[in-house]
Amino acid sequence: MNYDALLHPTPKGLYCPPGDFYVDPVAPVARAVVTHGHADHARAGHDAVLATAETIAIMGARYGEDFTASPQSVRYRDPVNINGVTVTLVPAGHVLGSAQAVIEQGGTRIVVSGDYKRRRDPTCAPFEVIPCDVFISEATFALPVFCHPDTGAEIRKLLASVEQFPERTHIIGAYALGKAQRVITHLREEGYDAPIYIHGALKKLCDLYEAHGVALGPLEPATIENKGARQDFAGKIVIAPPSAIQDLWARRFADPLPVFASGWMRIRQRVRQRGVELPLIISDHADWEELTDTIREIGPKELWITHGREDALMRWAELEGVAARPLRLVGYDDENE
């Protein structure tokens, strides 16, 4: 069957001709379906945007309320008809409001996963398996070497370090949307109820998560009024954008200990490159086993791969007897996780 008639790649992104809309377009278009709020998937400038209410709110917080002339929020599992094509958003488990776009017409179903993970995440709805003809999957960590450890164990590793080095400030690099809030909630689950200090760049999105029912506990600004106050942060946890942990900003704290929460912390070279003393392997993307298990559960006739380690997943699909193709879409970032 020619599934490209329903959805196919273009320089602007995945395009649905009968519905006349794009999914996560990388350039301004008339109508966009947006899977989640990360900047490589959710861009400003589209005439109309269909997304979950949380993603609409995230785009408004990042780009201003006029990021589109026509925002349309839709609840999970509520189908929307766009020019005769049915579009349904279902949870992707990636970040707050993240969704898979289920596109259906004439008995054909294509699922665009966006970015997704299968691990439990208290800050967002869990991924749902949707059987389909074509599953479009990311491949950020699509190599067998990527096997993410238990998240709770990584958080307990952090808390053990805080206890071992009470004279130091633990500064955690975590991306502003999703990762920062997830680290905070996992810390709370492990019993850490002290204030957590956050960089100013994280406040807007932390407030947004709180407004959407994600309890983060006491948060305080990570500001130092004078040099003498740096010792006030000894033994404290500070969360900041990854770029800040090696910046002059971080040096104002008491003997800062750089931490980075990312799936890429599995790679020692990346740990060294970033000058990280305490790597936390906490990812918002599926690891190798989660990717392959998900594809087996879904059982698609075809697997399309959008970005990441395409070759390994292509080879695996071939051995599994699943027809697969790389879409080689340009404009999606697999580093900022």
Side-chain angles (χ1 to χ4, degrees):
M1 175 174 275
N2 180 22
Y3 297 117
D4 286 67
L6 181 56
L7 193 72
H8 63 259
T10 74
K12 290 186 177 181
L14 290 166
Y15 178 60
C16 175
D20 192 22
F21 62 84
Y22 290 80
V23 181
D24 291 349
V26 298
V29 299
R31 183 183 293 275
V33 175
V34 175
T35 62
H36 67 280
H38 280 140
D40 56 336
H41 291 255
R43 291 170 164 84
H46 310 308
D47 294 340
V49 170
L50 175 74
T52 64
E54 295 88 346
T55 295
I56 293 290
I58 289 165
M59 294 180 74
R62 290 190 140 184
Y63 303 127
E65 295 304 320
D66 60 349
F67 71 90
T68 179
S70 180
Q72 180 183 358
S73 63
V74 61
R75 292 181 299 182
Y76 287 132
R77 307 173 201 87
D78 280 358
V80 176
N81 186 296
I82 305 177
N83 300 323
V85 176
T86 300
V87 177
T88 310
L89 301 183
V90 298
H94 180 53
V95 296
L96 180 69
S98 61
Q100 304 170 77
V102 182
I103 300 168
E104 298 175 274
Q105 187 185 54
T108 296
R109 176 186 288 170
I110 298 177
V111 174
V112 184
S113 68
D115 290 334
Y116 67 98
K117 69 173 178 294
R118 302 301 302 272
R119 299 295 171 99
R120 177 183 167 277
D121 181 345
T123 72
C124 66
F127 180 94
E128 291 187 8
V129 172
I130 306 295
C132 56
D133 299 294
V134 177
F135 182 58
I136 301 180
S137 177
E138 59 143 313
T140 302
F141 291 113
L143 287 174
V145 67
F146 290 113
C147 179
H148 304 326
D150 176 71
T151 306
E154 293 298 285
I155 294 295
R156 290 189 290 275
K157 185 167 69 175
L158 166 64
L159 292 175
S161 181
V162 172
E163 184 176 356
Q164 183 178 1
F165 301 107
E167 74 284 2
R168 305 187 70 180
T169 305
H170 284 64
I171 303 182
I172 306 170
Y175 289 102
L177 173 57
K179 187 65 64 64
Q181 296 80 19
R182 186 177 169 207
V183 168
I184 291 168
T185 55
H186 283 301
L187 279 165
R188 300 308 186 195
E189 288 186 337
E190 292 296 328
Y192 188 83
D193 56 7
I196 294 172
Y197 297 85
I198 59 172
H199 189 285
L202 307 184
K203 185 179 188 311
K204 184 182 290 186
L205 286 171
C206 285
D207 289 348
L208 188 149
Y209 266 64
E210 288 266 17
H212 283 84
V214 180
L216 300 178
L219 303 179
E220 300 289 343
T223 55
I224 295 179
E225 302 298 334
N226 55 68
K227 289 184 178 180
R230 65 189 301 167
Q231 288 306 316
D232 294 342
F233 285 87
K236 307 299 185 184
I237 293 176
V238 173
I239 301 182
S243 60
I245 64 174
Q246 292 295 335
D247 192 65
L248 285 173
W249 175 86
R251 299 179 195 173
R252 297 180 297 173
F253 296 94
D255 192 9
L257 192 158
V259 185
F260 189 26
S262 170
W264 295 114
M265 292 296 94
R266 172 69 69 185
I267 307 301
R268 291 180 181 177
Q269 184 179 2
R270 298 215 181 196
V271 174
R272 291 194 297 268
Q273 285 173 344
R274 286 187 172 270
V276 173
E277 286 190 45
L278 179 60
L280 299 179
I281 306 172
I282 300 175
S283 175
D284 284 333
H285 295 260
D287 66 11
W288 173 256
E289 286 193 5
E290 291 164 344
L291 287 167
T292 55
D293 286 349
T294 298
I295 295 162
R296 286 194 184 102
E297 286 182 68
I298 291 171
K301 294 182 178 70
E302 292 189 15
L303 172 68
W304 298 357
I305 306 167
T306 55
H307 59 285
R309 321 275 84 74
E310 298 170 341
D311 292 345
L313 200 56
M314 286 280 294
R315 177 59 177 160
W316 174 87
E318 178 185 337
L319 295 173
E320 290 284 318
V322 178
R325 61 185 274 204
L327 297 184
R328 307 199 190 284
L329 296 174
V330 176
Y332 299 101
D333 188 356
D334 63 359
E335 297 297 309
N336 292 340
E337 90 86 29

